[in-house]
Amino acid sequence: MTTSEGEQGGGGVGAERTPGGGAARPEERLERAVRAAEQALIEFEIAVETFRVEVDNFSRLHEQKLGPMYARLEELDARILEARAARSDDPEDRRKADEARARLAPIPGVEELLNGWMDGDGLFPEATAMLTDQPVRPPQRVRPSEEARKLYRDLARKAHPDLAQEDKERARREEFITRVNAAYARGNADELRELAAEWAAGPELRHVPSESEELYARLEWLARRKELLTLVARQLEEGAIGSMLRLAPDDPDKLLEEIAGQLSTQVTEREAELAALLA
């Protein structure tokens, strides 16, 4: 093609055109960048929220299954130190024993005393069972199924508040996503299906074109939001429970069983040590 032919074609080599053949608006590339950034952020938020639910669920299972064993070990350690202090009559041994016993003393304050025993609906079933001398139920495994995960991801992509252009629509989406998150945390696929039907029957978002300044501001907000989510994700991954989950992402229940076996061995060893000291 000659230069004159190119000029007659119009627009030059780098010109962008819309599907209809007309020249693209100056803001169009920026709008596409914003939309792509929004979708990327939503996918990232979904991944972080999914992992947070897994961490929360595993944390409760960990506490229910292994908490009594950790408590037993701490009690045995304190009694071993007390037995040693009684035999040696050494002030340093007595100090260590007193410190160990003090760590086991209940902390004053209602919130601290009820921690792990009460949620927003009252006492946990496990606590109620203990107070009424009923058998304690085994820990409930709340791990969302693949169907629940798929439903959650689909709803989060469609109803995410960051897709709203108006304050009223954002408020509606935030209220809806709160319910979606709660259903997912419970692993309730039936409730998620009902929410999907509710969203499908709801009003559609009216698209409002953005000005260039608003688009730039939007990109900056998305970048800040991603930084915050990255920090949250890092804290989840580097926490004790997150680190444990990363060791066995496909079978965390097996990991709990392995830890329980190790703790059981330690309890047996401590009990034997204490018996020898008291003999």
Side-chain angles (χ1 to χ4, degrees):
M1 182 191 302
T2 66
T3 303
S4 60
E5 288 173 339
E7 291 173 350
Q8 291 175 2
V13 176
E16 291 192 23
R17 292 182 172 275
T18 63
R25 293 183 297 106
E27 298 86 0
E28 191 167 331
R29 288 183 61 187
L30 186 56
E31 287 180 357
R32 288 201 299 270
V34 169
R35 301 296 169 256
E38 286 176 340
Q39 289 302 318
L41 182 68
I42 288 172
E43 294 296 330
F44 189 32
E45 285 201 51
I46 291 172
V48 172
E49 176 64 16
T50 300
F51 188 59
R52 186 194 64 76
V53 168
E54 293 175 356
V55 167
D56 287 348
N57 288 333
F58 189 73
S59 177
R60 186 177 181 192
L61 290 175
H62 179 273
E63 179 63 25
Q64 289 177 333
K65 188 174 184 64
L66 304 183
M69 303 182 76
Y70 284 122
R72 176 61 175 162
L73 278 173
E74 291 175 352
E75 172 64 26
L76 286 169
D77 285 339
R79 293 182 63 185
I80 287 171
L81 289 172
E82 289 169 343
R84 287 175 181 170
R87 297 185 68 167
S88 69
D89 202 24
D90 185 287
E92 181 63 17
D93 287 344
R94 172 51 54 190
R95 183 188 65 79
K96 292 180 180 179
D98 291 343
E99 288 180 353
R101 179 57 60 187
R103 285 194 294 268
L104 297 179
I107 302 174
V110 175
E111 292 182 1
E112 290 83 358
L113 290 173
L114 292 178
N115 182 34
W117 295 97
M118 179 176 287
D119 59 13
D121 298 324
L123 288 174
F124 285 135
E126 295 83 3
T128 302
M130 289 182 180
L131 293 173
T132 55
D133 294 327
Q134 297 176 3
V136 179
R137 297 184 309 174
Q140 181 183 8
R141 281 162 172 74
V142 183
R143 192 160 295 126
S145 64
E146 283 302 319
E147 180 187 9
R149 292 182 183 185
K150 182 179 183 302
L151 287 166
Y152 168 74
R153 291 189 182 104
D154 289 344
L155 281 169
R157 292 186 185 106
K158 293 175 182 177
H160 200 283
D162 286 347
L163 296 177
Q165 298 290 330
E166 300 171 339
D167 291 342
K168 183 178 180 180
E169 176 63 16
R170 171 176 281 276
R172 182 177 81 92
R173 286 170 176 262
E174 287 176 347
E175 185 275 335
F176 184 81
I177 284 295
T178 298
R179 293 159 58 201
V180 170
N181 289 341
Y184 179 66
R186 291 190 290 270
N188 194 327
D190 291 337
E191 189 175 351
L192 288 169
R193 279 193 293 270
E194 293 175 0
L195 288 167
E198 177 184 333
W199 181 259
E204 292 293 330
L205 172 65
R206 181 173 62 86
H207 177 70
V208 179
S210 302
E211 296 294 332
S212 296
E213 295 80 8
E214 293 175 337
L215 290 170
Y216 278 117
R218 182 68 171 160
L219 280 176
E220 291 176 357
W221 182 89
L222 290 168
R224 292 194 300 270
R225 178 66 177 168
K226 184 179 180 182
E227 290 179 1
L228 176 61
L229 284 172
T230 300
L231 177 60
V232 171
R234 186 181 302 118
Q235 290 173 340
L236 286 171
E237 291 174 351
E238 294 178 354
I241 298 298
S243 299
M244 292 173 64
L245 274 176
R246 284 189 294 159
L247 292 174
D250 298 326
D251 194 0
D253 289 339
K254 183 179 179 181
L255 178 60
L256 280 180
E257 294 298 332
E258 292 176 355
I259 296 174
Q262 296 171 4
L263 292 177
S264 179
T265 299
Q266 294 177 30
V267 167
T268 301
E269 293 171 351
R270 300 288 205 289
E271 288 175 339
E273 183 180 357
L274 178 61
L277 286 169
L278 296 176

